[in-house]
Amino acid sequence: MHHELATAPNGKFIDVYRPGTHPTPLATVLLWHGIGPDERDVLEPLARTVAGLGALVFVPDWRSDAPDGGRAHLLASLEYARTHAAALGGDAGRMVLAGWSAGASAAMGVALNPAVADGWRPAAVVGIASRYDRPARTTGTPPLADLAVGGPSDPLPVPVSLVHGTADELMDTTCSRELLESLITHRWPARLEEVRANHAGAIGAEYDPALDRCRASEDELIRAAAELTARTIAEAAGVPAA
């Protein structure tokens, strides 16, 4: 697995992970972290696992405390990934948009409102441990509300995979179940994987009070949950099963 650090035109860092030996073009994933400002490192264990399965993975920093709530940072990272994927061996025409916590609703927001990305739509969305009844950072409207409104301008559905920890202490699994039900009602292909983990455990991390942030976990149960999350992302991206 190869790792390199890139810098977007807006100065934000982006980790790029690539598998060691895989045919190109590679399945491509843009993975957004949660509400903690510039916490791309929290997703490193998950991103490395997804890359090890055979995907090109971009993990950018973004700041939720920016005046626009992080919208410009998120959309700039999307533009960067779309522009640079092909040069890195990725499939720029078929990119999966994935996110954890606030990053997940931001990803879902783009799928429901492709106009915010100049009409671009992800090949699939993976939402990890989030709620979807609050305004998405990319659109300013809640994904559940966007689905409920409907109408002739509805975007074409894309496959959505949801992952949620059964022990999530911040957002109950009902948050993802509600979105799943709404997606199915509106004829979007969707599924939900419930893993034995809490909010951070779903991505292979645990909260460290001394650091006041999440870090990689060595707990075997947490790592097993993150492996399932990684495989869900890889499958959504079309990585062939081993």
Side-chain angles (χ1 to χ4, degrees):
M1 200 280 302
H2 301 290
H3 167 256
E4 59 187 78
L5 181 62
T7 306
N10 63 0
K12 286 296 171 190
F13 292 126
I14 301 177
D15 285 316
V16 181
Y17 301 92
R18 288 183 290 166
T21 55
H22 275 273
T24 55
L26 293 164
T28 304
V29 177
L30 174 59
L31 180 58
W32 285 335
H33 66 71
I35 201 167
D38 292 341
E39 286 192 346
R40 73 184 194 285
D41 59 293
V42 171
L43 291 172
E44 179 179 355
L46 179 63
R48 285 183 176 275
T49 304
V50 175
L53 292 170
L56 169 67
V57 185
F58 294 90
V59 186
D61 272 335
W62 66 280
R63 295 192 68 90
S64 60
D65 57 359
D68 64 355
R71 181 178 185 271
H73 293 158
L74 290 162
L75 295 178
S77 70
L78 173 56
E79 179 62 25
Y80 182 92
R82 291 176 61 195
T83 301
H84 292 81
L88 293 165
D91 186 348
R94 191 183 186 285
M95 183 183 301
V96 168
L97 197 50
W100 170 60
S101 198
S105 61
M108 195 66 228
V110 173
L112 287 163
N113 299 275
V116 301
D118 298 323
W120 178 87
R121 301 170 65 250
V125 171
V126 181
I128 309 162
S130 189
R131 59 185 300 173
Y132 304 90
D133 59 346
R134 294 176 176 175
R137 297 281 170 161
T138 45
T139 63
T141 56
L144 280 170
D146 290 338
L147 275 167
V149 170
S153 61
D154 278 354
L156 293 174
V158 300
V160 177
S161 297
L162 302 173
V163 180
H164 212 114
T166 55
D168 194 320
E169 71 285 11
L170 298 180
M171 302 174 190
D172 191 79
T173 51
T174 55
C175 296
S176 288
R177 291 173 187 167
E178 288 172 355
L179 180 63
L180 177 70
E181 181 179 348
S182 184
L183 287 166
I184 293 173
T185 297
H186 290 84
R187 299 183 179 180
W188 283 52
R191 65 177 178 133
L192 169 62
E193 295 283 353
E194 296 188 7
V195 298
R196 295 178 60 190
N198 61 13
H199 191 66
I203 59 165
E206 59 186 27
Y207 178 71
D208 187 330
L211 298 174
D212 191 26
R213 62 188 289 124
C214 293
R215 59 173 176 78
S217 176
E218 297 300 323
D219 184 280
E220 290 186 6
L221 289 178
I222 291 178
R223 293 176 72 168
E227 177 74 21
L228 194 154
T229 301
R231 292 191 178 279
T232 299
I233 296 173
E235 289 171 11
V239 175

